[in-house]
Amino acid sequence: MNKPKILVLGAGYGGIMTTVNLQKMLGRDDAQITLVNKHNYHYQTTWLHENAAGTLHHDNTRIPIDEVINKNKVNFIVDTVKEIKHEDKTVVLEGGDTLTYDYLVVGLGFEPATFGIPGIKEHAFSITSINAARKIKAHIEYMFATYSASKEKRDELLTFIVGGAGFTGIEFLGELANRVPELCKEYDVPREKVRIICVEAGPGALPGFDPELVEYAVNLLERKGVEFKIGTAIKEVQEDGVVLSKGEDMEEVKSGTIVWSAGVQGSPVCEAADIGAMRGRVKVNADMRAPGHDDIFVVGDCALIINEEIDRPYPPTAQIAMQQGVIVAKNIKALINGENTKTFKPDIKGTVASLGEGEAIGLVFGRKYFGGTASFLKKMIDNRYLFLLGGIGLVLKKGKLKFF
Ligand code: FAD
């Protein structure tokens, strides 16, 4: 009998957890597992803001995929997925290959949501990948170097604008605020010349987070020199700055660096696949399959699941993506064995947002944590993930082991 072909697209949290769990659960004769990813490494998306600010080297964030998969069981292909053709159960890669599948797992992650704001795609950076983070880091350093070397000393070179005070924006601000004094020293720039501005259209930072924790975060970042423009929308991003509006008032702020972090949507490949995606996210069935497609599972930021308690979608997180990877592997095994699939229910242990080295806020198992304790918890969460992925060896190699 032919072995069923399992094809996993994307080695982010969802895809890699599906793959490592499949390789644990299935023997070589049970199935043929193939993983396709753009790069030969998996990266921790939740650390990319540190790479972008330059407070952590990107090699700490990425993990060679060969180190976590069993090559006797998983065929790993480095390529970019171009198209999913569900009618003929195939996937087309940019390199020209066409792969067939019996079971497909779509874990292609996210792209920035621009909400139709002109100029974001052309002129703003987004923290989306190792390559994108490296570019932001290099650009920030270039701005300092250019300012130092120039006669005109244009203010906009040292004006850094972050669009969005959600989780990603706040975490990036914490790192950037920590990096700036170092850059000032390196490039002989007075600290007061540098502006870090956070523009948030909503009524406050970190929507949905506990107000006391939000206050702590905002106060801390303000003390480190971040200016918040709350209730202010970015109307347009231009080559040399942004146009802002607050009510009737319009304002232009000149800036050489705009980092857009005000929302994400699922992968465009998922959107184009005609499997029920809206903004790249498929509202999946209880067992993580795409409605009407019994052979297609969707995980991570490409999947949309509803929190029944509040009748709203769960925000896409690494925590949920990882848990989905585990259940999807179990469900594929169940289908192969002719058994029933299981329902996915997220087990939300808490949320911790970092605010730069040694500082964080968090709500874990219903308890609030601030400062060093929250930062310690964040590192434990990160290390736990590495342990689940590659055991103690990976924790020792890539873990965050400097706690205080
Ligand atoms: P991803 O982790 O985005 O991975 C997708 C993978 O697919 C990547 O390897 C990519 O290269 C690959 N890929 C994409 N397109 C293609 C293609 N066409 N062909 C081949 N390969 C492709 N969540 C938390 O729970 N806690 C946090 O503290 C947290 N902090 C965050 C901080 C930042 C800066 C950001 C950006 C996000 C943060 N998140 C956090 C959200 C979390 O990172 C995402 O929800 C999570 O990464 C989604 O996982 P995923 O498996 O869907 O995809």
Side-chain angles (χ1 to χ4, degrees), residues 198-205 228-234 244-249:
C198 176
V199 182
E200 168 57 53
F228 282 92
K229 286 182 180 287
I230 299 292
T232 305
I234 294 183
L244 307 178
S245 81
K246 186 169 188 171
E248 300 287 289
D249 300 332

Side-chain angles (χ1 to χ4, degrees), residues 289-333:
R289 277 186 281 184
H293 301 276
D294 282 351
D295 49 357
I296 302 181
F297 290 85
V298 187
V299 290
D301 286 6
C302 289
L304 187 140
I305 50 168
I306 300 291
N307 182 344
E308 308 282 349
E309 282 168 29
I310 52 171
D311 196 26
R312 297 199 55 186
Y314 279 99
T317 63
Q319 184 176 189
I320 289 181
M322 286 157 56
Q323 293 176 9
Q324 288 172 340
V326 180
I327 197 90
V328 165
K330 284 184 183 161
N331 282 345
I332 291 175
K333 185 183 176 203

Side-chain angles (χ1 to χ4, degrees), residues 12 15 38 56 61 87-88 101 136 164 169 179 194 211 224 231 240 243 245 251 254 260 262 269 311 332 341 347:
K38 236 182 224 181
L56 180 76
T61 299
E87 305 90 348
D88 36 354
Y101 64 81
I136 296 171
R179 180 89 202 284
V194 182
K224 289 187 182 184
D240 60 349
V243 180
S245 81
E251 185 190 2
K254 295 285 175 211
W260 177 250
V269 177
D311 196 26
I332 291 175
T341 55
D347 174 18

Side-chain angles (χ1 to χ4, degrees), residues 173-237:
L173 287 163
E175 298 299 325
L176 184 61
N178 277 5
R179 180 89 202 284
V180 160
E182 203 182 281
L183 288 167
C184 287
K185 205 166 158 216
E186 194 175 336
Y187 291 96
D188 310 315
V189 170
R191 171 64 185 87
E192 61 276 12
K193 289 286 174 197
V194 182
R195 287 182 78 189
I196 307 174
I197 304 169
C198 176
V199 182
E200 168 57 53
L206 292 168
F209 232 63
D210 177 88
E212 197 186 354
L213 295 174
V214 176
E215 197 187 337
Y216 180 93
V218 170
N219 287 343
L220 180 98
L221 293 175
E222 282 180 338
R223 280 202 304 280
K224 289 187 182 184
V226 177
E227 299 168 44
F228 282 92
K229 286 182 180 287
I230 299 292
T232 305
I234 294 183
K235 284 283 159 203
E236 188 179 345
V237 178

Side-chain angles (χ1 to χ4, degrees), residues 9-16 36-39 41-50 79-82 94 107-110 127-129 167-168 171-172 264 267 269 299-302 315-322 351-354 378 382:
L9 308 180
Y13 293 94
I16 200 88
V36 182
N37 194 56
K38 236 182 224 181
H39 310 104
Y41 54 82
H42 160 75
Y43 51 80
Q44 297 220 56
T45 311
T46 60
W47 294 6
L48 288 178
H49 58 287
E50 298 176 53
D79 207 332
T80 299
V81 177
K82 192 170 150 194
E94 280 189 359
L108 295 170
F110 66 95
I127 309 171
T128 52
S129 62
F167 212 85
T168 305
E171 289 200 315
F172 177 62
V264 295
S267 152
V269 177
V299 290
D301 286 6
C302 289
T317 63
Q319 184 176 189
I320 289 181
M322 286 157 56
T351 311
V352 185
S354 72
K378 180 90 175 166
D382 292 341

